[in-house]
Short mmCIF file of all heavy atoms in Angstrom, two decimals:
data_model
loop_
_atom_site.label_atom_id
_atom_site.label_comp_id
_atom_site.label_asym_id
_atom_site.label_seq_id
_atom_site.Cartn_x
_atom_site.Cartn_y
_atom_site.Cartn_z
N LEU Y 302 -3.26 -3.50 9.67
CA LEU Y 302 -3.60 -4.28 10.85
C LEU Y 302 -2.40 -4.42 11.77
O LEU Y 302 -2.51 -4.29 12.97
CB LEU Y 302 -4.11 -5.66 10.44
CG LEU Y 302 -5.40 -5.67 9.62
CD1 LEU Y 302 -5.69 -7.08 9.15
CD2 LEU Y 302 -6.55 -5.12 10.43
N GLU Y 303 -1.23 -4.66 11.21
CA GLU Y 303 -0.03 -4.82 12.02
C GLU Y 303 0.32 -3.53 12.75
O GLU Y 303 0.66 -3.55 13.91
CB GLU Y 303 1.14 -5.26 11.15
CG GLU Y 303 0.97 -6.64 10.58
CD GLU Y 303 2.00 -6.98 9.54
OE1 GLU Y 303 2.85 -6.13 9.24
OE2 GLU Y 303 1.94 -8.09 9.02
N VAL Y 304 0.20 -2.40 12.08
CA VAL Y 304 0.55 -1.11 12.69
C VAL Y 304 -0.32 -0.86 13.92
O VAL Y 304 0.17 -0.55 14.99
CB VAL Y 304 0.42 0.04 11.68
CG1 VAL Y 304 0.53 1.38 12.38
CG2 VAL Y 304 1.47 -0.10 10.61
N VAL Y 305 -1.62 -1.02 13.78
CA VAL Y 305 -2.52 -0.75 14.90
C VAL Y 305 -2.30 -1.75 16.02
O VAL Y 305 -2.30 -1.39 17.19
CB VAL Y 305 -3.98 -0.73 14.43
CG1 VAL Y 305 -4.93 -0.63 15.61
CG2 VAL Y 305 -4.19 0.43 13.49
N GLN Y 306 -2.09 -3.01 15.71
CA GLN Y 306 -1.89 -4.00 16.75
C GLN Y 306 -0.62 -3.72 17.55
O GLN Y 306 -0.58 -3.95 18.75
CB GLN Y 306 -1.86 -5.40 16.15
CG GLN Y 306 -3.24 -5.85 15.72
CD GLN Y 306 -3.22 -7.18 15.00
OE1 GLN Y 306 -2.18 -7.69 14.65
NE2 GLN Y 306 -4.40 -7.73 14.77
N TYR Y 307 0.41 -3.21 16.92
CA TYR Y 307 1.62 -2.87 17.66
C TYR Y 307 1.40 -1.62 18.51
O TYR Y 307 1.89 -1.53 19.63
CB TYR Y 307 2.80 -2.63 16.71
CG TYR Y 307 3.33 -3.89 16.11
CD1 TYR Y 307 3.50 -3.99 14.74
CD2 TYR Y 307 3.67 -4.99 16.89
CE1 TYR Y 307 3.98 -5.15 14.16
CE2 TYR Y 307 4.14 -6.14 16.32
CZ TYR Y 307 4.30 -6.23 14.95
OH TYR Y 307 4.78 -7.37 14.38
N ASP Y 308 0.67 -0.65 18.01
CA ASP Y 308 0.41 0.57 18.77
C ASP Y 308 -0.59 0.34 19.89
O ASP Y 308 -0.53 0.98 20.92
CB ASP Y 308 -0.13 1.67 17.84
CG ASP Y 308 0.93 2.19 16.90
OD1 ASP Y 308 2.12 1.92 17.14
OD2 ASP Y 308 0.56 2.85 15.92
N ARG Y 309 -1.55 -0.52 19.67
CA ARG Y 309 -2.62 -0.78 20.63
C ARG Y 309 -2.75 -2.28 20.83
O ARG Y 309 -3.36 -2.95 19.99
CB ARG Y 309 -3.93 -0.23 20.11
CG ARG Y 309 -3.87 1.22 19.75
CD ARG Y 309 -4.85 1.94 20.54
NE ARG Y 309 -4.79 3.34 20.19
CZ ARG Y 309 -5.65 4.19 20.61
NH1 ARG Y 309 -6.65 3.79 21.34
NH2 ARG Y 309 -5.54 5.45 20.32
N PRO Y 310 -2.24 -2.82 21.90
CA PRO Y 310 -2.31 -4.27 22.10
C PRO Y 310 -3.72 -4.79 22.32
O PRO Y 310 -3.96 -5.97 22.17
CB PRO Y 310 -1.42 -4.52 23.31
CG PRO Y 310 -1.16 -3.19 23.91
CD PRO Y 310 -1.46 -2.15 22.92
N ASP Y 311 -4.68 -3.93 22.68
CA ASP Y 311 -6.06 -4.38 22.90
C ASP Y 311 -6.67 -4.73 21.54
O ASP Y 311 -6.92 -3.87 20.71
CB ASP Y 311 -6.85 -3.28 23.59
CG ASP Y 311 -8.30 -3.65 23.81
OD1 ASP Y 311 -8.68 -4.81 23.55
OD2 ASP Y 311 -9.07 -2.77 24.22
N ILE Y 312 -6.94 -6.01 21.32
CA ILE Y 312 -7.39 -6.48 20.00
C ILE Y 312 -8.73 -5.87 19.61
O ILE Y 312 -8.96 -5.59 18.44
CB ILE Y 312 -7.43 -8.02 19.94
CG1 ILE Y 312 -7.64 -8.48 18.50
CG2 ILE Y 312 -8.52 -8.59 20.84
CD1 ILE Y 312 -6.52 -8.18 17.58
N ASN Y 313 -9.64 -5.63 20.53
CA ASN Y 313 -10.92 -5.03 20.18
C ASN Y 313 -10.75 -3.63 19.61
O ASN Y 313 -11.41 -3.25 18.66
CB ASN Y 313 -11.86 -5.00 21.39
CG ASN Y 313 -12.30 -6.39 21.79
OD1 ASN Y 313 -12.42 -7.26 20.93
ND2 ASN Y 313 -12.51 -6.59 23.07
N VAL Y 314 -9.84 -2.86 20.19
CA VAL Y 314 -9.55 -1.54 19.64
C VAL Y 314 -8.96 -1.68 18.24
O VAL Y 314 -9.32 -0.96 17.32
CB VAL Y 314 -8.57 -0.76 20.57
CG1 VAL Y 314 -8.13 0.53 19.91
CG2 VAL Y 314 -9.24 -0.50 21.91
N GLY Y 315 -8.06 -2.66 18.09
CA GLY Y 315 -7.43 -2.88 16.79
C GLY Y 315 -8.44 -3.22 15.72
O GLY Y 315 -8.40 -2.70 14.61
N ILE Y 316 -9.39 -4.08 16.05
CA ILE Y 316 -10.40 -4.47 15.06
C ILE Y 316 -11.24 -3.27 14.68
O ILE Y 316 -11.50 -3.01 13.51
CB ILE Y 316 -11.28 -5.61 15.62
CG1 ILE Y 316 -10.47 -6.90 15.67
CG2 ILE Y 316 -12.54 -5.79 14.77
CD1 ILE Y 316 -11.18 -8.03 16.34
N ASN Y 317 -11.66 -2.48 15.65
CA ASN Y 317 -12.51 -1.32 15.37
C ASN Y 317 -11.79 -0.29 14.50
O ASN Y 317 -12.40 0.35 13.67
CB ASN Y 317 -12.99 -0.67 16.67
CG ASN Y 317 -13.97 -1.55 17.41
OD1 ASN Y 317 -14.65 -2.36 16.79
ND2 ASN Y 317 -14.04 -1.40 18.71
N GLN Y 318 -10.51 -0.13 14.68
CA GLN Y 318 -9.78 0.87 13.91
C GLN Y 318 -9.31 0.33 12.56
O GLN Y 318 -9.16 1.09 11.63
CB GLN Y 318 -8.57 1.37 14.69
CG GLN Y 318 -8.98 2.22 15.88
CD GLN Y 318 -7.78 2.74 16.62
OE1 GLN Y 318 -6.64 2.46 16.26
NE2 GLN Y 318 -8.01 3.52 17.66
N CYS Y 319 -9.05 -0.97 12.47
CA CYS Y 319 -8.46 -1.52 11.25
C CYS Y 319 -9.46 -1.96 10.21
O CYS Y 319 -9.17 -1.90 9.03
CB CYS Y 319 -7.57 -2.71 11.59
SG CYS Y 319 -6.14 -2.21 12.54
N MET Y 320 -10.60 -2.40 10.60
CA MET Y 320 -11.54 -2.93 9.62
C MET Y 320 -11.93 -1.90 8.56
O MET Y 320 -11.94 -2.21 7.39
CB MET Y 320 -12.77 -3.53 10.32
CG MET Y 320 -12.43 -4.81 11.07
SD MET Y 320 -11.46 -5.99 10.09
CE MET Y 320 -12.69 -6.53 8.93
N PRO Y 321 -12.22 -0.65 8.95
CA PRO Y 321 -12.54 0.31 7.88
C PRO Y 321 -11.36 0.53 6.93
O PRO Y 321 -11.54 0.65 5.73
CB PRO Y 321 -12.87 1.59 8.65
CG PRO Y 321 -13.27 1.13 10.01
CD PRO Y 321 -12.44 -0.10 10.28
N ILE Y 322 -10.13 0.54 7.45
CA ILE Y 322 -8.96 0.73 6.60
C ILE Y 322 -8.81 -0.46 5.65
O ILE Y 322 -8.65 -0.30 4.45
CB ILE Y 322 -7.68 0.89 7.45
CG1 ILE Y 322 -7.75 2.20 8.25
CG2 ILE Y 322 -6.43 0.87 6.57
CD1 ILE Y 322 -6.67 2.32 9.29
N ALA Y 323 -8.87 -1.67 6.20
CA ALA Y 323 -8.72 -2.87 5.37
C ALA Y 323 -9.83 -2.94 4.33
O ALA Y 323 -9.59 -3.27 3.17
CB ALA Y 323 -8.74 -4.12 6.25
N HIS Y 324 -11.07 -2.61 4.73
CA HIS Y 324 -12.18 -2.64 3.79
C HIS Y 324 -11.95 -1.66 2.64
O HIS Y 324 -12.15 -2.00 1.47
CB HIS Y 324 -13.48 -2.29 4.53
CG HIS Y 324 -14.70 -2.31 3.68
ND1 HIS Y 324 -15.21 -3.47 3.15
CD2 HIS Y 324 -15.49 -1.30 3.22
CE1 HIS Y 324 -16.27 -3.19 2.41
NE2 HIS Y 324 -16.46 -1.88 2.45
N ALA Y 325 -11.50 -0.46 2.94
CA ALA Y 325 -11.23 0.53 1.89
C ALA Y 325 -10.13 0.06 0.96
O ALA Y 325 -10.22 0.23 -0.26
CB ALA Y 325 -10.86 1.87 2.52
N LEU Y 326 -9.10 -0.57 1.51
CA LEU Y 326 -8.01 -1.05 0.67
C LEU Y 326 -8.48 -2.17 -0.25
O LEU Y 326 -8.10 -2.23 -1.41
CB LEU Y 326 -6.85 -1.53 1.53
CG LEU Y 326 -6.08 -0.43 2.26
CD1 LEU Y 326 -5.07 -1.05 3.22
CD2 LEU Y 326 -5.38 0.47 1.27
N VAL Y 327 -9.28 -3.09 0.27
CA VAL Y 327 -9.80 -4.19 -0.56
C VAL Y 327 -10.65 -3.64 -1.69
O VAL Y 327 -10.53 -4.04 -2.84
CB VAL Y 327 -10.60 -5.20 0.29
CG1 VAL Y 327 -11.35 -6.17 -0.59
CG2 VAL Y 327 -9.65 -5.94 1.22
N LEU Y 328 -11.51 -2.68 -1.38
CA LEU Y 328 -12.35 -2.09 -2.43
C LEU Y 328 -11.50 -1.39 -3.48
O LEU Y 328 -11.77 -1.49 -4.68
CB LEU Y 328 -13.36 -1.12 -1.82
CG LEU Y 328 -14.49 -1.77 -1.03
CD1 LEU Y 328 -15.39 -0.70 -0.43
CD2 LEU Y 328 -15.28 -2.72 -1.88
N GLY Y 329 -10.47 -0.68 -3.06
CA GLY Y 329 -9.58 -0.03 -4.02
C GLY Y 329 -8.87 -1.04 -4.90
O GLY Y 329 -8.73 -0.86 -6.10
N TYR Y 330 -8.42 -2.15 -4.30
CA TYR Y 330 -7.75 -3.21 -5.05
C TYR Y 330 -8.70 -3.79 -6.09
O TYR Y 330 -8.35 -3.98 -7.25
CB TYR Y 330 -7.29 -4.30 -4.09
CG TYR Y 330 -6.71 -5.52 -4.76
CD1 TYR Y 330 -5.41 -5.50 -5.24
CD2 TYR Y 330 -7.44 -6.68 -4.90
CE1 TYR Y 330 -4.86 -6.60 -5.85
CE2 TYR Y 330 -6.90 -7.80 -5.49
CZ TYR Y 330 -5.61 -7.75 -5.97
OH TYR Y 330 -5.07 -8.85 -6.58
N LEU Y 331 -9.94 -4.07 -5.69
CA LEU Y 331 -10.90 -4.64 -6.63
C LEU Y 331 -11.25 -3.66 -7.74
O LEU Y 331 -11.44 -4.05 -8.88
CB LEU Y 331 -12.17 -5.07 -5.88
CG LEU Y 331 -11.97 -6.26 -4.95
CD1 LEU Y 331 -13.25 -6.53 -4.18
CD2 LEU Y 331 -11.51 -7.49 -5.69
N ARG Y 332 -11.31 -2.37 -7.44
CA ARG Y 332 -11.59 -1.38 -8.48
C ARG Y 332 -10.50 -1.37 -9.54
O ARG Y 332 -10.77 -1.25 -10.72
CB ARG Y 332 -11.73 0.01 -7.86
CG ARG Y 332 -13.14 0.37 -7.58
CD ARG Y 332 -13.27 1.84 -7.19
NE ARG Y 332 -14.01 1.88 -5.96
CZ ARG Y 332 -13.55 2.16 -4.77
NH1 ARG Y 332 -12.29 2.49 -4.61
NH2 ARG Y 332 -14.30 2.14 -3.71
N ILE Y 333 -9.24 -1.48 -9.11
CA ILE Y 333 -8.14 -1.49 -10.07
C ILE Y 333 -8.15 -2.77 -10.89
O ILE Y 333 -8.04 -2.76 -12.10
CB ILE Y 333 -6.78 -1.32 -9.35
CG1 ILE Y 333 -6.65 0.09 -8.81
CG2 ILE Y 333 -5.63 -1.63 -10.29
CD1 ILE Y 333 -5.46 0.30 -7.92
N ARG Y 334 -8.29 -3.94 -10.23
CA ARG Y 334 -8.22 -5.22 -10.93
C ARG Y 334 -9.42 -5.48 -11.82
O ARG Y 334 -9.31 -6.14 -12.83
CB ARG Y 334 -8.11 -6.38 -9.92
CG ARG Y 334 -6.79 -6.47 -9.22
CD ARG Y 334 -5.66 -6.78 -10.19
NE ARG Y 334 -5.80 -8.04 -10.84
CZ ARG Y 334 -5.18 -9.14 -10.50
NH1 ARG Y 334 -4.37 -9.16 -9.49
NH2 ARG Y 334 -5.38 -10.24 -11.17
N CYS Y 335 -10.61 -5.01 -11.42
CA CYS Y 335 -11.83 -5.34 -12.15
C CYS Y 335 -12.36 -4.16 -12.94
O CYS Y 335 -13.49 -4.16 -13.37
CB CYS Y 335 -12.90 -5.82 -11.15
SG CYS Y 335 -12.36 -7.23 -10.20
N ASN Y 336 -11.56 -3.17 -13.11
CA ASN Y 336 -12.05 -1.97 -13.73
C ASN Y 336 -12.02 -2.08 -15.25
O ASN Y 336 -11.34 -2.92 -15.81
CB ASN Y 336 -11.23 -0.84 -13.10
CG ASN Y 336 -10.53 0.13 -13.95
OD1 ASN Y 336 -10.61 0.15 -15.15
ND2 ASN Y 336 -9.81 0.97 -13.28
N ALA Y 337 -12.81 -1.26 -15.90
CA ALA Y 337 -12.97 -1.34 -17.35
C ALA Y 337 -11.69 -0.96 -18.10
O ALA Y 337 -11.58 -1.19 -19.29
CB ALA Y 337 -14.11 -0.43 -17.79
N LEU Y 338 -10.70 -0.39 -17.40
CA LEU Y 338 -9.45 -0.02 -18.05
C LEU Y 338 -8.46 -1.18 -18.08
O LEU Y 338 -7.35 -1.02 -18.54
CB LEU Y 338 -8.81 1.17 -17.34
CG LEU Y 338 -9.62 2.46 -17.36
CD1 LEU Y 338 -8.87 3.55 -16.61
CD2 LEU Y 338 -9.93 2.89 -18.77
N SER Y 339 -8.83 -2.34 -17.54
CA SER Y 339 -7.91 -3.47 -17.44
C SER Y 339 -8.47 -4.68 -18.17
O SER Y 339 -9.65 -5.00 -18.04
CB SER Y 339 -7.71 -3.84 -15.96
OG SER Y 339 -7.27 -2.72 -15.23
N GLN Y 340 -7.60 -5.35 -18.95
CA GLN Y 340 -8.03 -6.54 -19.68
C GLN Y 340 -6.84 -7.46 -19.87
O GLN Y 340 -5.79 -7.05 -20.36
CB GLN Y 340 -8.61 -6.14 -21.04
CG GLN Y 340 -9.08 -7.31 -21.85
CD GLN Y 340 -9.58 -6.90 -23.24
OE1 GLN Y 340 -9.46 -5.75 -23.63
NE2 GLN Y 340 -10.12 -7.84 -23.95
N THR Y 341 -7.01 -8.73 -19.48
CA THR Y 341 -5.99 -9.75 -19.72
C THR Y 341 -6.47 -10.61 -20.88
O THR Y 341 -7.60 -11.09 -20.87
CB THR Y 341 -5.79 -10.62 -18.46
OG1 THR Y 341 -5.37 -9.78 -17.39
CG2 THR Y 341 -4.74 -11.69 -18.70
N LEU Y 342 -5.61 -10.82 -21.87
CA LEU Y 342 -5.97 -11.68 -23.00
C LEU Y 342 -5.64 -13.12 -22.59
O LEU Y 342 -6.16 -13.59 -21.60
CB LEU Y 342 -5.24 -11.24 -24.26
CG LEU Y 342 -5.62 -9.83 -24.76
CD1 LEU Y 342 -4.84 -9.46 -26.00
CD2 LEU Y 342 -7.11 -9.71 -25.01
N GLU Y 343 -4.76 -13.80 -23.32
CA GLU Y 343 -4.41 -15.16 -22.94
C GLU Y 343 -3.87 -15.14 -21.52
O GLU Y 343 -3.16 -14.24 -21.14
CB GLU Y 343 -3.32 -15.75 -23.85
CG GLU Y 343 -3.56 -15.60 -25.32
CD GLU Y 343 -2.89 -14.35 -25.87
OE1 GLU Y 343 -1.68 -14.17 -25.68
OE2 GLU Y 343 -3.60 -13.56 -26.48
N GLY Y 344 -4.23 -16.15 -20.75
CA GLY Y 344 -3.87 -16.17 -19.34
C GLY Y 344 -2.39 -16.28 -19.07
O GLY Y 344 -1.78 -17.27 -19.44
N PRO Y 345 -1.82 -15.28 -18.40
CA PRO Y 345 -0.43 -15.41 -17.97
C PRO Y 345 -0.36 -16.42 -16.82
O PRO Y 345 -1.37 -16.70 -16.18
CB PRO Y 345 -0.06 -14.00 -17.49
CG PRO Y 345 -1.35 -13.31 -17.25
CD PRO Y 345 -2.39 -13.99 -18.07
N PRO Y 346 0.81 -16.98 -16.54
CA PRO Y 346 0.92 -17.95 -15.46
C PRO Y 346 0.66 -17.31 -14.09
O PRO Y 346 0.71 -16.09 -13.95
CB PRO Y 346 2.37 -18.45 -15.58
CG PRO Y 346 3.09 -17.41 -16.33
CD PRO Y 346 2.08 -16.72 -17.21
N ASP Y 347 0.40 -18.15 -13.11
CA ASP Y 347 0.19 -17.65 -11.75
C ASP Y 347 1.37 -16.82 -11.29
O ASP Y 347 2.52 -17.19 -11.52
CB ASP Y 347 -0.02 -18.81 -10.77
CG ASP Y 347 -1.37 -19.47 -10.95
OD1 ASP Y 347 -2.27 -18.84 -11.55
OD2 ASP Y 347 -1.52 -20.63 -10.51
N GLY Y 348 1.08 -15.71 -10.66
CA GLY Y 348 2.12 -14.84 -10.13
C GLY Y 348 2.62 -13.80 -11.12
O GLY Y 348 3.30 -12.86 -10.74
N ALA Y 349 2.29 -13.95 -12.39
CA ALA Y 349 2.72 -12.98 -13.41
C ALA Y 349 1.86 -11.73 -13.30
O ALA Y 349 0.71 -11.79 -12.88
CB ALA Y 349 2.59 -13.58 -14.80
N PRO Y 350 2.42 -10.57 -13.66
CA PRO Y 350 1.61 -9.35 -13.65
C PRO Y 350 0.43 -9.48 -14.60
O PRO Y 350 0.57 -9.94 -15.73
CB PRO Y 350 2.58 -8.27 -14.14
CG PRO Y 350 3.93 -8.86 -14.06
CD PRO Y 350 3.78 -10.34 -14.11
N ARG Y 351 -0.73 -9.11 -14.12
CA ARG Y 351 -1.97 -9.18 -14.90
C ARG Y 351 -2.54 -7.78 -15.04
O ARG Y 351 -2.11 -6.85 -14.36
CB ARG Y 351 -2.99 -10.06 -14.19
CG ARG Y 351 -2.57 -11.50 -14.08
CD ARG Y 351 -3.58 -12.29 -13.26
NE ARG Y 351 -3.18 -13.67 -13.15
CZ ARG Y 351 -3.47 -14.60 -14.03
NH1 ARG Y 351 -4.16 -14.30 -15.11
NH2 ARG Y 351 -3.07 -15.83 -13.87
N ALA Y 352 -3.54 -7.67 -15.88
CA ALA Y 352 -4.20 -6.38 -16.07
C ALA Y 352 -4.74 -5.91 -14.73
O ALA Y 352 -5.32 -6.66 -13.97
CB ALA Y 352 -5.34 -6.52 -17.08
N GLY Y 353 -4.48 -4.64 -14.44
CA GLY Y 353 -4.89 -4.03 -13.18
C GLY Y 353 -3.77 -3.99 -12.16
O GLY Y 353 -3.79 -3.19 -11.24
N ASP Y 354 -2.74 -4.85 -12.32
CA ASP Y 354 -1.59 -4.84 -11.41
C ASP Y 354 -0.67 -3.69 -11.77
O ASP Y 354 -0.59 -3.29 -12.93
CB ASP Y 354 -0.78 -6.13 -11.52
CG ASP Y 354 -1.49 -7.34 -10.98
OD1 ASP Y 354 -2.47 -7.18 -10.23
OD2 ASP Y 354 -1.05 -8.46 -11.30
N ARG Y 355 0.06 -3.21 -10.80
CA ARG Y 355 1.13 -2.27 -11.10
C ARG Y 355 2.25 -3.11 -11.72
O ARG Y 355 2.58 -4.19 -11.23
CB ARG Y 355 1.62 -1.58 -9.84
CG ARG Y 355 2.75 -0.62 -10.12
CD ARG Y 355 2.68 0.57 -9.17
NE ARG Y 355 3.83 1.42 -9.29
CZ ARG Y 355 3.98 2.37 -10.20
NH1 ARG Y 355 3.03 2.58 -11.09
NH2 ARG Y 355 5.05 3.11 -10.24
N PHE Y 356 2.83 -2.60 -12.81
CA PHE Y 356 3.91 -3.33 -13.46
C PHE Y 356 5.10 -3.35 -12.50
O PHE Y 356 5.39 -2.36 -11.84
CB PHE Y 356 4.29 -2.66 -14.79
CG PHE Y 356 5.20 -3.50 -15.63
CD1 PHE Y 356 4.71 -4.62 -16.29
CD2 PHE Y 356 6.53 -3.18 -15.77
CE1 PHE Y 356 5.54 -5.40 -17.07
CE2 PHE Y 356 7.38 -3.96 -16.54
CZ PHE Y 356 6.88 -5.07 -17.20
N PRO Y 357 5.82 -4.48 -12.41
CA PRO Y 357 6.92 -4.57 -11.44
C PRO Y 357 8.07 -3.63 -11.77
O PRO Y 357 8.31 -3.29 -12.93
CB PRO Y 357 7.37 -6.03 -11.54
CG PRO Y 357 6.74 -6.60 -12.73
CD PRO Y 357 5.61 -5.72 -13.14
N TRP Y 358 8.74 -3.23 -10.74
CA TRP Y 358 9.91 -2.35 -10.88
C TRP Y 358 11.07 -3.23 -11.32
O TRP Y 358 11.53 -4.10 -10.59
CB TRP Y 358 10.24 -1.72 -9.53
CG TRP Y 358 10.98 -0.45 -9.66
CD1 TRP Y 358 12.25 -0.30 -10.12
CD2 TRP Y 358 10.52 0.84 -9.34
NE1 TRP Y 358 12.61 1.02 -10.11
CE2 TRP Y 358 11.56 1.74 -9.63
CE3 TRP Y 358 9.33 1.34 -8.84
CZ2 TRP Y 358 11.45 3.10 -9.42
CZ3 TRP Y 358 9.23 2.69 -8.64
CH2 TRP Y 358 10.26 3.56 -8.94
N LEU Y 359 11.56 -3.01 -12.54
CA LEU Y 359 12.62 -3.84 -13.11
C LEU Y 359 13.78 -2.99 -13.58
O LEU Y 359 13.60 -1.84 -13.97
CB LEU Y 359 12.09 -4.64 -14.30
CG LEU Y 359 10.90 -5.56 -14.08
CD1 LEU Y 359 10.40 -6.11 -15.40
CD2 LEU Y 359 11.27 -6.68 -13.14
N LYS Y 360 14.94 -3.60 -13.59
CA LYS Y 360 16.11 -3.00 -14.23
C LYS Y 360 16.41 -3.88 -15.44
O LYS Y 360 16.71 -5.06 -15.28
CB LYS Y 360 17.28 -2.93 -13.27
CG LYS Y 360 17.00 -1.96 -12.13
CD LYS Y 360 18.25 -1.59 -11.40
CE LYS Y 360 17.90 -0.61 -10.31
NZ LYS Y 360 18.48 0.67 -10.49
N LEU Y 361 16.30 -3.29 -16.63
CA LEU Y 361 16.41 -4.04 -17.88
C LEU Y 361 17.41 -3.39 -18.82
O LEU Y 361 17.65 -2.19 -18.76
CB LEU Y 361 15.05 -4.09 -18.58
CG LEU Y 361 13.90 -4.76 -17.85
CD1 LEU Y 361 12.61 -4.57 -18.62
CD2 LEU Y 361 14.19 -6.24 -17.63
N ARG Y 362 17.92 -4.21 -19.71
CA ARG Y 362 18.73 -3.71 -20.82
C ARG Y 362 17.75 -3.55 -21.98
O ARG Y 362 17.35 -4.53 -22.60
CB ARG Y 362 19.84 -4.70 -21.15
CG ARG Y 362 20.90 -4.14 -22.06
CD ARG Y 362 22.03 -5.14 -22.32
NE ARG Y 362 22.54 -5.82 -21.16
CZ ARG Y 362 23.54 -5.38 -20.38
NH1 ARG Y 362 24.14 -4.25 -20.66
NH2 ARG Y 362 23.94 -6.08 -19.33
N LEU Y 363 17.34 -2.32 -22.24
CA LEU Y 363 16.30 -2.05 -23.24
C LEU Y 363 16.84 -1.92 -24.66
O LEU Y 363 16.06 -1.88 -25.60
CB LEU Y 363 15.51 -0.81 -22.84
CG LEU Y 363 14.73 -0.97 -21.53
CD1 LEU Y 363 14.13 0.35 -21.08
CD2 LEU Y 363 13.65 -2.02 -21.68
N ARG Y 364 18.15 -1.83 -24.80
CA ARG Y 364 18.78 -1.79 -26.12
C ARG Y 364 19.89 -2.83 -26.15
O ARG Y 364 20.60 -3.00 -25.16
CB ARG Y 364 19.37 -0.41 -26.39
CG ARG Y 364 18.35 0.68 -26.56
CD ARG Y 364 19.01 2.08 -26.58
NE ARG Y 364 18.07 3.11 -26.22
CZ ARG Y 364 17.65 3.40 -24.99
NH1 ARG Y 364 18.09 2.71 -23.97
NH2 ARG Y 364 16.79 4.37 -24.76
N THR Y 365 20.04 -3.51 -27.26
CA THR Y 365 21.11 -4.49 -27.39
C THR Y 365 22.44 -3.80 -27.11
O THR Y 365 22.73 -2.73 -27.65
CB THR Y 365 21.11 -5.10 -28.81
OG1 THR Y 365 19.81 -5.65 -29.05
CG2 THR Y 365 22.15 -6.19 -28.94
N ASN Y 366 23.24 -4.40 -26.23
CA ASN Y 366 24.55 -3.86 -25.81
C ASN Y 366 24.42 -2.51 -25.10
O ASN Y 366 25.40 -1.79 -24.97
CB ASN Y 366 25.52 -3.74 -26.99
CG ASN Y 366 25.80 -5.08 -27.62
OD1 ASN Y 366 25.90 -6.10 -26.93
ND2 ASN Y 366 25.88 -5.12 -28.93
N GLY Y 367 23.23 -2.15 -24.66
CA GLY Y 367 23.04 -0.88 -23.94
C GLY Y 367 23.24 -1.06 -22.45
O GLY Y 367 23.61 -2.13 -21.96
N TYR Y 368 22.99 0.01 -21.72
CA TYR Y 368 23.11 0.00 -20.26
C TYR Y 368 21.87 -0.63 -19.64
O TYR Y 368 20.79 -0.61 -20.22
CB TYR Y 368 23.23 1.44 -19.74
CG TYR Y 368 24.48 2.14 -20.18
CD1 TYR Y 368 24.44 3.12 -21.16
CD2 TYR Y 368 25.71 1.83 -19.60
CE1 TYR Y 368 25.58 3.77 -21.58
CE2 TYR Y 368 26.87 2.47 -20.02
CZ TYR Y 368 26.79 3.44 -21.00
OH TYR Y 368 27.93 4.08 -21.39
N VAL Y 369 22.03 -1.15 -18.44
CA VAL Y 369 20.90 -1.63 -17.65
C VAL Y 369 20.23 -0.39 -17.06
O VAL Y 369 20.89 0.45 -16.46
CB VAL Y 369 21.35 -2.60 -16.55
CG1 VAL Y 369 20.19 -3.00 -15.66
CG2 VAL Y 369 22.01 -3.83 -17.16
N GLU Y 370 18.92 -0.27 -17.30
CA GLU Y 370 18.20 0.93 -16.90
C GLU Y 370 16.99 0.58 -16.05
O GLU Y 370 16.40 -0.48 -16.19
CB GLU Y 370 17.71 1.68 -18.14
CG GLU Y 370 18.80 2.08 -19.11
CD GLU Y 370 18.24 2.66 -20.39
OE1 GLU Y 370 17.97 3.87 -20.41
OE2 GLU Y 370 18.06 1.89 -21.34
#
Side-chain angles (χ1 to χ4, degrees):
L302 297 173
E303 293 170 359
V304 170
V305 173
Q306 287 175 349
Y307 287 128
D308 290 345
R309 305 239 180 171
D311 178 7
I312 191 66
N313 291 329
V314 172
I316 289 173
N317 291 334
Q318 290 182 359
C319 293
M320 290 312 289
I322 294 170
H324 181 68
L326 289 173
V327 169
L328 289 178
Y330 174 79
L331 292 175
R332 265 190 231 108
I333 289 172
R334 289 296 297 260
C335 302
N336 128 5
L338 297 180
S339 304
Q340 180 183 7
T341 301
L342 296 179
E343 311 94 54
D347 288 340
R351 296 175 180 274
D354 290 344
R355 179 147 173 83
F356 192 73
W358 204 293
L359 302 172
K360 293 196 179 244
L361 299 173
R362 193 177 314 271
L363 296 172
R364 291 170 203 77
T365 305
N366 299 323
Y368 296 105
V369 175
E370 303 173 85

